[in-house]
Amino acid sequence: MLTMARPSSLLNIFRRVRQIAVKVDRPSSIKRYFSATCTRLADEGEVPIKTSHDVTEAMKHQPLVDDDKPHFPGTWKSKYTDQLKFTKPELNEPMSTYRVLNWDGDLVNADHEPQLSKETTIDMYKGMVTLHIMDDVLFNAQRQGRIVFYMTANGEEASHIGSAAALDPADEVFAQYREQGVLMWRGFSVQQFIDQCIGNEGGHSRGRQMPLHYGSKKLHYVTISAPLSTEMPQIGRASCRERV
């Protein structure tokens, strides 16, 4: 059974753990955590640290629980509040938006010039347009009941074609839903996409997979899995295989 201690009790417990951690000579996970925390504070100019002794001393004076701001991953520079309210975007500084071209189509940073030929650029543009049109047709077909399932890649066409063009054709691709543009760039035809979505004998799975479960051994595009993130262990094992 789990019980919830009062905040004051938790504060005392945390402080006691800190006191024990700084007295341990051998490296421990707790001590390494505080060392990393003090190093971060030193980088921010809050704690002067030069030697390991300074780390230990700083740990003695650095409270584990701060009354002004939390010390949790992803919350640096955050503050506590007792007001429960929605966050308004206009009240916070937004994240920067990365861009390569300005609205006039000019390169913002000359170092990012990919040095592509005119033919390659045109092929990439054709691929993005073709993908968008195919998505529109198949999405409407799904809404009409002609195919059972479909997900578009609207707005992501450039990320598909751009990343695929930068890869070697023999590189294995472990894709997810909405990433059919990579397969299209490698030569998968619109007819092959349609056959797979309809589930006829022209599809690579012949109706034994979901419509969007594209795949091609020839094009080094591993068949898509329904559960997301299954590609992570697959990538690891494929990498080990290539090293053998």
Side-chain angles (χ1 to χ4, degrees):
M1 181 178 68
L2 299 177
T3 58
M4 179 60 73
R6 291 181 299 173
S8 58
S9 299
L10 290 175
L11 180 59
N12 292 331
I13 292 173
F14 286 140
R15 284 175 176 170
R16 180 55 182 162
V17 171
R18 174 179 57 81
Q19 293 170 358
I20 297 174
V22 298
K23 294 179 181 179
V24 177
D25 293 331
R26 65 180 183 276
S28 66
S29 59
I30 299 177
K31 196 167 185 178
R32 286 196 298 270
Y33 169 78
F34 278 104
S35 297
T37 301
C38 290
T39 301
R40 175 183 59 78
L41 293 174
D43 293 339
E44 296 175 359
E46 297 184 22
V47 178
I49 294 179
K50 298 180 181 179
T51 65
S52 58
H53 174 73
D54 292 335
V55 172
T56 303
E57 290 299 317
M59 287 161 56
K60 292 180 180 179
H61 301 287
Q62 178 65 25
L64 177 60
V65 179
D66 194 326
D67 293 333
D68 296 327
K69 59 183 179 180
H71 289 278
F72 302 116
T75 62
W76 309 125
K77 305 296 185 181
S78 178
K79 295 182 179 180
Y80 287 114
T81 179
D82 58 359
Q83 300 296 317
L84 185 62
K85 59 183 179 181
F86 288 103
T87 299
K88 297 181 179 180
E90 61 270 18
L91 301 180
N92 298 284
E93 183 178 354
M95 295 178 61
S96 300
T97 301
Y98 175 77
R99 69 172 181 174
V100 178
L101 304 176
N102 60 22
W103 287 107
D104 296 325
D106 300 322
L107 197 65
V108 177
N109 189 336
D111 295 335
H112 295 169
E113 172 59 56
Q115 303 296 331
L116 297 174
S117 65
K118 182 177 181 180
E119 291 74 16
T120 301
T121 305
I122 293 176
D123 288 342
M124 294 174 70
Y125 182 74
K126 286 183 178 179
M128 290 187 284
V129 174
T130 302
L131 174 59
H132 187 82
I133 295 175
M134 182 189 76
D135 275 349
D136 186 54
V137 172
L138 292 178
F139 179 77
N140 288 330
Q142 188 273 329
R143 286 295 187 265
Q144 295 168 6
R146 299 175 184 272
I147 57 179
V148 297
F149 185 68
Y150 196 78
M151 298 176 71
T152 69
N154 292 343
E156 304 177 15
E157 296 89 350
S159 63
H160 294 189
I161 303 301
S163 59
L167 295 173
D168 187 273
D171 288 337
E172 298 289 343
V173 173
F174 296 79
Q176 299 186 103
Y177 296 122
R178 305 180 188 276
E179 296 177 346
Q180 51 265 35
V182 178
L183 191 55
M184 176 177 286
W185 174 259
R186 291 194 169 185
F188 209 73
S189 67
V190 173
Q191 184 63 56
Q192 288 176 296
F193 280 110
I194 295 175
D195 289 339
Q196 172 60 25
C197 288
I198 294 177
N200 59 27
E201 63 179 0
H204 70 88
S205 65
R206 298 184 180 181
R208 292 172 291 191
Q209 283 273 13
M210 288 181 64
L212 283 178
H213 286 190
Y214 307 119
S216 174
K217 184 176 181 180
K218 177 182 177 182
L219 300 176
H220 301 277
Y221 190 95
V222 179
T223 302
I224 295 174
S225 303
L228 299 179
S229 299
T230 54
E231 295 78 12
M232 300 303 292
Q234 295 170 1
I235 292 171
R237 301 202 53 176
S239 300
C240 291
R241 181 199 64 192
E242 292 298 325
R243 297 183 60 182
V244 174

